[in-house]
mmCIF file of all heavy atoms in Angstrom:
data_model
loop_
_atom_site.group_PDB
_atom_site.id
_atom_site.type_symbol
_atom_site.label_atom_id
_atom_site.label_comp_id
_atom_site.label_asym_id
_atom_site.label_seq_id
_atom_site.Cartn_x
_atom_site.Cartn_y
_atom_site.Cartn_z
ATOM 1 N N ILE A 296 81.792 -79.613 -84.617
ATOM 2 C CA ILE A 296 81.412 -78.194 -84.899
ATOM 3 C C ILE A 296 81.055 -77.481 -83.556
ATOM 4 O O ILE A 296 80.419 -78.055 -82.664
ATOM 5 C CB ILE A 296 80.352 -78.108 -85.948
ATOM 6 C CG1 ILE A 296 80.321 -76.687 -86.606
ATOM 7 C CG2 ILE A 296 79.048 -78.457 -85.420
ATOM 8 C CD1 ILE A 296 79.577 -76.590 -87.939
ATOM 9 N N LEU A 297 81.410 -76.217 -83.422
ATOM 10 C CA LEU A 297 81.193 -75.455 -82.219
ATOM 11 C C LEU A 297 80.223 -74.346 -82.467
ATOM 12 O O LEU A 297 80.288 -73.554 -83.415
ATOM 13 C CB LEU A 297 82.526 -74.880 -81.684
ATOM 14 C CG LEU A 297 83.681 -75.825 -81.431
ATOM 15 C CD1 LEU A 297 84.899 -75.054 -80.970
ATOM 16 C CD2 LEU A 297 83.341 -76.837 -80.338
ATOM 17 N N ARG A 298 79.231 -74.261 -81.580
ATOM 18 C CA ARG A 298 78.239 -73.209 -81.618
ATOM 19 C C ARG A 298 77.694 -72.953 -83.059
ATOM 20 O O ARG A 298 77.761 -71.752 -83.496
ATOM 21 C CB ARG A 298 78.737 -71.933 -81.025
ATOM 22 C CG ARG A 298 79.132 -72.049 -79.488
ATOM 23 C CD ARG A 298 79.240 -70.628 -78.915
ATOM 24 N NE ARG A 298 77.904 -70.121 -78.478
ATOM 25 C CZ ARG A 298 77.642 -68.857 -78.165
ATOM 26 N NH1 ARG A 298 78.598 -67.943 -78.294
ATOM 27 N NH2 ARG A 298 76.387 -68.559 -77.749
ATOM 28 N N TYR A 299 77.117 -73.975 -83.639
ATOM 29 C CA TYR A 299 76.616 -73.835 -85.012
ATOM 30 C C TYR A 299 75.271 -73.258 -85.052
ATOM 31 O O TYR A 299 74.301 -73.764 -84.483
ATOM 32 C CB TYR A 299 76.578 -75.241 -85.633
ATOM 33 C CG TYR A 299 76.168 -75.180 -87.089
ATOM 34 C CD1 TYR A 299 77.078 -74.632 -88.051
ATOM 35 C CD2 TYR A 299 74.937 -75.637 -87.557
ATOM 36 C CE1 TYR A 299 76.671 -74.505 -89.396
ATOM 37 C CE2 TYR A 299 74.619 -75.615 -88.846
ATOM 38 C CZ TYR A 299 75.433 -75.013 -89.804
ATOM 39 O OH TYR A 299 74.993 -74.991 -91.077
ATOM 40 N N ARG A 300 75.181 -72.178 -85.810
ATOM 41 C CA ARG A 300 73.817 -71.505 -85.955
ATOM 42 C C ARG A 300 73.101 -72.198 -87.062
ATOM 43 O O ARG A 300 73.377 -72.185 -88.255
ATOM 44 C CB ARG A 300 74.064 -70.059 -86.286
ATOM 45 C CG ARG A 300 74.783 -69.224 -85.201
ATOM 46 C CD ARG A 300 74.823 -67.788 -85.415
ATOM 47 N NE ARG A 300 73.441 -67.161 -85.583
ATOM 48 C CZ ARG A 300 73.243 -65.952 -85.494
ATOM 49 N NH1 ARG A 300 74.252 -65.054 -85.205
ATOM 50 N NH2 ARG A 300 72.000 -65.415 -85.635
ATOM 51 N N THR A 301 71.949 -72.803 -86.539
ATOM 52 C CA THR A 301 71.145 -73.676 -87.408
ATOM 53 C C THR A 301 70.190 -72.890 -88.326
ATOM 54 O O THR A 301 69.704 -73.436 -89.285
ATOM 55 C CB THR A 301 70.273 -74.664 -86.614
ATOM 56 O OG1 THR A 301 69.328 -73.961 -85.867
ATOM 57 C CG2 THR A 301 71.199 -75.501 -85.659
ATOM 58 N N ARG A 302 69.898 -71.683 -87.886
ATOM 59 C CA ARG A 302 68.827 -70.862 -88.526
ATOM 60 C C ARG A 302 67.380 -71.360 -88.217
ATOM 61 O O ARG A 302 66.449 -70.743 -88.667
ATOM 62 C CB ARG A 302 69.044 -70.745 -90.029
ATOM 63 C CG ARG A 302 70.436 -70.134 -90.476
ATOM 64 C CD ARG A 302 70.609 -68.801 -89.945
ATOM 65 N NE ARG A 302 71.820 -68.129 -90.408
ATOM 66 C CZ ARG A 302 72.292 -67.026 -89.964
ATOM 67 N NH1 ARG A 302 71.643 -66.319 -89.116
ATOM 68 N NH2 ARG A 302 73.456 -66.476 -90.404
ATOM 69 N N ASP A 303 67.306 -72.448 -87.425
ATOM 70 C CA ASP A 303 65.958 -72.969 -87.038
ATOM 71 C C ASP A 303 65.466 -72.221 -85.840
ATOM 72 O O ASP A 303 66.332 -71.907 -84.961
ATOM 73 C CB ASP A 303 66.037 -74.461 -86.721
ATOM 74 C CG ASP A 303 66.134 -75.270 -88.009
ATOM 75 O OD1 ASP A 303 65.634 -74.892 -89.028
ATOM 76 O OD2 ASP A 303 66.766 -76.402 -87.899
ATOM 77 N N ILE A 304 64.268 -71.790 -85.871
ATOM 78 C CA ILE A 304 63.686 -71.093 -84.748
ATOM 79 C C ILE A 304 62.921 -72.111 -83.804
ATOM 80 O O ILE A 304 62.125 -72.867 -84.288
ATOM 81 C CB ILE A 304 62.712 -69.972 -85.220
ATOM 82 C CG1 ILE A 304 63.512 -68.958 -86.017
ATOM 83 C CG2 ILE A 304 62.055 -69.301 -84.076
ATOM 84 C CD1 ILE A 304 64.568 -68.243 -85.382
ATOM 85 N N GLY A 305 63.160 -71.951 -82.497
ATOM 86 C CA GLY A 305 62.465 -72.937 -81.600
ATOM 87 C C GLY A 305 62.631 -72.482 -80.100
ATOM 88 O O GLY A 305 63.124 -71.337 -79.902
ATOM 89 N N VAL A 306 62.184 -73.311 -79.236
ATOM 90 C CA VAL A 306 62.212 -73.069 -77.763
ATOM 91 C C VAL A 306 62.725 -74.313 -77.123
ATOM 92 O O VAL A 306 62.404 -75.438 -77.567
ATOM 93 C CB VAL A 306 60.775 -72.749 -77.259
ATOM 94 C CG1 VAL A 306 60.783 -72.530 -75.808
ATOM 95 C CG2 VAL A 306 60.224 -71.514 -78.060
ATOM 96 N N ILE A 307 63.532 -74.168 -76.041
ATOM 97 C CA ILE A 307 63.904 -75.330 -75.230
ATOM 98 C C ILE A 307 63.348 -75.163 -73.829
ATOM 99 O O ILE A 307 63.198 -74.071 -73.334
ATOM 100 C CB ILE A 307 65.431 -75.519 -75.174
ATOM 101 C CG1 ILE A 307 66.160 -74.266 -74.624
ATOM 102 C CG2 ILE A 307 66.050 -75.753 -76.541
ATOM 103 C CD1 ILE A 307 67.676 -74.411 -74.327
ATOM 104 N N THR A 308 62.984 -76.327 -73.278
ATOM 105 C CA THR A 308 62.369 -76.336 -71.879
ATOM 106 C C THR A 308 62.897 -77.612 -71.148
ATOM 107 O O THR A 308 63.195 -78.633 -71.774
ATOM 108 C CB THR A 308 60.788 -76.407 -71.940
ATOM 109 O OG1 THR A 308 60.447 -77.560 -72.769
ATOM 110 C CG2 THR A 308 60.244 -75.164 -72.561
ATOM 111 N N ARG A 309 62.903 -77.461 -69.813
ATOM 112 C CA ARG A 309 63.347 -78.607 -68.965
ATOM 113 C C ARG A 309 62.303 -79.038 -68.008
ATOM 114 O O ARG A 309 62.570 -79.584 -66.970
ATOM 115 C CB ARG A 309 64.580 -78.071 -68.149
ATOM 116 C CG ARG A 309 65.824 -77.684 -69.032
ATOM 117 C CD ARG A 309 66.989 -77.561 -68.207
ATOM 118 N NE ARG A 309 68.138 -77.145 -69.118
ATOM 119 C CZ ARG A 309 68.830 -77.869 -69.917
ATOM 120 N NH1 ARG A 309 68.523 -79.222 -69.953
ATOM 121 N NH2 ARG A 309 69.784 -77.450 -70.728
ATOM 122 N N GLY A 310 61.044 -78.761 -68.276
ATOM 123 C CA GLY A 310 59.931 -79.288 -67.489
ATOM 124 C C GLY A 310 59.921 -80.763 -67.425
ATOM 125 O O GLY A 310 60.440 -81.467 -68.314
ATOM 126 N N LYS A 311 59.348 -81.289 -66.420
ATOM 127 C CA LYS A 311 59.330 -82.797 -66.203
ATOM 128 C C LYS A 311 58.494 -83.333 -67.294
ATOM 129 O O LYS A 311 57.416 -82.866 -67.620
ATOM 130 C CB LYS A 311 58.670 -83.123 -64.838
ATOM 131 C CG LYS A 311 58.735 -84.567 -64.532
ATOM 132 C CD LYS A 311 58.147 -84.810 -63.022
ATOM 133 C CE LYS A 311 58.144 -86.267 -62.776
ATOM 134 N NZ LYS A 311 57.683 -86.539 -61.346
ATOM 135 N N CYS A 312 59.039 -84.485 -67.848
ATOM 136 C CA CYS A 312 58.328 -85.163 -68.974
ATOM 137 C C CYS A 312 57.679 -86.438 -68.458
ATOM 138 O O CYS A 312 58.371 -87.202 -67.704
ATOM 139 C CB CYS A 312 59.212 -85.483 -70.087
ATOM 140 S SG CYS A 312 58.439 -86.215 -71.563
ATOM 141 N N SER A 313 56.521 -86.719 -68.820
ATOM 142 C CA SER A 313 55.844 -87.952 -68.371
ATOM 143 C C SER A 313 56.481 -89.227 -68.761
ATOM 144 O O SER A 313 56.318 -90.358 -68.184
ATOM 145 C CB SER A 313 54.416 -87.993 -68.877
ATOM 146 O OG SER A 313 54.347 -88.058 -70.321
ATOM 147 N N CYS A 314 57.402 -89.161 -69.794
ATOM 148 C CA CYS A 314 58.065 -90.359 -70.227
ATOM 149 C C CYS A 314 59.231 -90.740 -69.306
ATOM 150 O O CYS A 314 59.834 -91.844 -69.382
ATOM 151 C CB CYS A 314 58.698 -90.255 -71.650
ATOM 152 S SG CYS A 314 60.128 -89.155 -71.756
#
Side-chain angles (χ1 to χ4, degrees):
I296 200 162
L297 303 178
R298 299 198 82 197
Y299 183 70
R300 294 188 60 160
T301 66
R302 301 299 185 186
D303 287 327
I304 298 298
V306 176
I307 60 173
T308 57
R309 299 192 183 280
K311 186 176 181 180
C312 185
S313 63
C314 76

